[in-house]
Amino acid sequence: MTSSNVQDIPDLYEASIAELQKGLEAGAFTSVDLVKAYFARIAEVNTQGPCLRAVLETNPSALKQAAALDDERKAKGMRSALHGIPLLIKDNIATMHEEGMNTTAGSYALLNSVVPRDATVIAKLRKAGAIFIGKAQLSEWANYRGVGVPSGFSGLGGQATNPYYPKADASGSSTGSGIGTAIGLAAGSLGSETDGSIVSPSSHNNIVGIKPTVGLTSRAGVVPISSHQDSVGPMCRSIADAALVLNYIVGPDPLDEFTLFQPKEIPDYTKALDANALKGVRVGVPRLFQGSDEDIITDFNAALETMKELGAEIVDPANFPNAEELFVNGGEDIVLAADLKARVDLQKYLEGLIEVPSGVRTLADVIAFNKANADKELVEPYWTSQQRMIEAEATPMDDAYFKALAENHRMGREEGIDATLKKFDLDVFVLPAAGRAGRSGPAAIAGYPVVCVPLGFHPESMEVPPAEPVIKHKAPGLPHGLIFIGTAYSEFKLISYAYAYEQKTQTRLKRMAYPEAIPKTQLKDVMVV
C-alpha cells in the first residue's frame, strides 16, 4: 500500500460517497473491503455492545456482488457514482428473494415471504451498481400497527435505540436507516415516509433526510400504508450524498400510477449544491408550527440568523391562514386507515407475494396472526397494541373517506402551503423538525417535499428522563433537525437551500455518537496488504 493509497482511506464514521468512490477508483481499497468493514462495524454495535438493533439482517450475497463489481470496475470502469457503494435498505422495501434477504416490515408475519421482484427504487439502485449491505430495522409496519408502541420496535428486531445517548429514542419509522447512517454502518440508506418517518429519525440521528413529493419516487414493491402519502427517499450524512442517491431513484414507473404525473424533466439534484443558494431567498417562518421546546427554538432562532448572514430575507412570522383548521384536522387518520384497508393497498401487496409461509393475505389475517403469536409480536409490557390496524380494518371507503381526502388536499395544498407561499411571496418554509410540521403537518397530507438537516443538540445539563423502555423525545446531547418545506416537486430548490445552510454550519460534525456506539473497525482493519 502506497502513501497516496493510505491518504485515500477515509474514516467510515463520516465517509462521503464521493470519498469512497475516489478511493475505489484510486485502487486504495475495494468494494469487497468496504463490505467486510461494514459487516464488522454492524457486528460490533448491533446486537453486541450498546445493542442498537439498527440492522435486521445482513446480505449473504453482498461479498459476491462486491467482488463482481470490483472486477467490472477493472474491466469496464464504473457504471455510476454509486458503483460498488454499500447502502442500507429499510425492511419494508423489497429486495429480490434470491439475494438471500427478507422483506418483512419488521413482522414475523412476513418472515420468509417471497417477493416477486425488487422494489422499483431497488432495481434502479442495483442497475447503478449499488450494493445492499443489509435490511434496516424499522418501527413495525412502518409504525402503523399500534398506538403508544415505542418508535424503533419490531417483533423481528426488538427495540432499537439512539446512538447519541444510551436507551434514547431513535425515532421512526425509518429507525435503522437513521441509526446505521449516523454511525457509518453503510455509506447511506433508504427510508420511507407516510408522515414524519424519514424526517423524524433523520432529526433524531443527526443526519440528512429527503422526503420527496409523493409520486417522484416509485412505491412499487414497498409495503404500503397509504398511496396518497407514502414516499421513498434517501437518508445520508450530507446533502450531497442524499442528492446523489435521489438522482438514481426518481422517475416514472408504470407499476405506480402516481409517478406518471411527475414533471417530464427531472433535474440533476447534484447541480443544486450551491453554497450561495440562500442569497435573496425569501424564507417563511410559520411560528404556529414550531413547537414548544425552548432549547430547540433557541437553536432554530440561531439558524434564522445564519440564513440572514447567507443573504436570505426572513419573513417572520409567516403563519398559515388555516393553521387552526390544520391543528384540528382528523382527515389524515381516516385517509390512512381507509387506504390501508378499504383501498386494499396492503392487501394488493400481500396478494402479490409469491409465497407467504404465515398465510397472511389481508389486514385481518395480519391482526389474527399477531394475536396468535402475541409472545413474539404483542410483547408485554410496552409493545402490546395493534389498535391502528384494528381501527383500519373497520374503516370503510365511504363518503367520509373521499371528503377527508379532498379536505386534506385543500388544507395542505391550495389553502395551506401553496396559499401561504403566495400570500407572503415566499420561496420556502423553515421549521424545527420536532415541531408540528415535522409530523402530522401540512406537507404530509399535501404529499409535498421536506428536506431535513442537522440543527443542534439538547443541553448536556438537562435532567435525564426515565427509559420506558426508551427515553422519549429528548435526552442530553440528543440531536434535532431543521426542515425545509416547499410546494410539489420543489426538491431542487429545497436541496440547494439546505446545502447552503449545511455548508455554513456543519452542525453534524459538532458532536459524535456516545463512545460505545461508535464502531471501531476501519477499512485498514480488513484489508489484505
Side-chain angles (χ1 to χ4, degrees), residues 434-454:
R436 182 64 186 264
R439 284 186 175 182
S440 301
I445 60 174
Y448 282 3
V450 183
V451 175
C452 181
V453 294

Side-chain angles (χ1 to χ4, degrees), residues 93-96 117-128 132 190 216-222 232 248-256 259:
I93 304 173
T95 51
M96 62 181 182
R117 66 186 73 84
D118 278 335
T120 300
V121 291
I122 295 298
K124 287 173 174 283
L125 290 171
R126 198 185 296 280
K127 184 178 180 182
F132 310 120
L190 282 192
L216 183 64
T217 57
S218 173
R219 289 83 49 85
V222 180
V232 176
Y248 289 96
I249 61 174
V250 299
D253 174 17
L255 297 176
D256 181 350
T259 66

Side-chain angles (χ1 to χ4, degrees), residues 277-353:
L278 279 168
K279 188 174 182 179
V281 170
R282 287 177 60 83
V283 176
V285 184
R287 288 286 180 180
L288 293 175
F289 294 139
Q290 72 179 358
S292 58
D293 188 300
E294 292 300 327
D295 295 320
I296 292 177
I297 292 171
T298 297
D299 287 344
F300 176 56
N301 288 335
L304 296 177
E305 291 302 314
T306 297
M307 289 183 222
K308 285 183 185 177
E309 293 173 15
L310 291 169
E313 183 179 349
I314 307 299
V315 181
D316 183 8
N319 286 316
F320 284 43
N322 66 340
E324 295 302 324
E325 187 180 17
L326 284 162
F327 284 141
V328 299
N329 174 41
E332 183 180 22
D333 292 338
I334 296 171
V335 170
L336 298 189
D339 278 352
L340 187 75
K341 169 58 168 63
R343 225 183 105 90
V344 296
D345 285 357
L346 179 60
Q347 186 170 327
K348 289 175 185 175
Y349 176 88
L350 296 174
E351 288 179 345
L353 296 173

Side-chain angles (χ1 to χ4, degrees), residues 179-200:
I179 299 168
T181 298
I183 57 174
L185 303 186
S189 62
L190 282 192
S192 69
E193 174 161 327
T194 306
D195 187 339
S197 287
I198 289 174
V199 168
S200 188

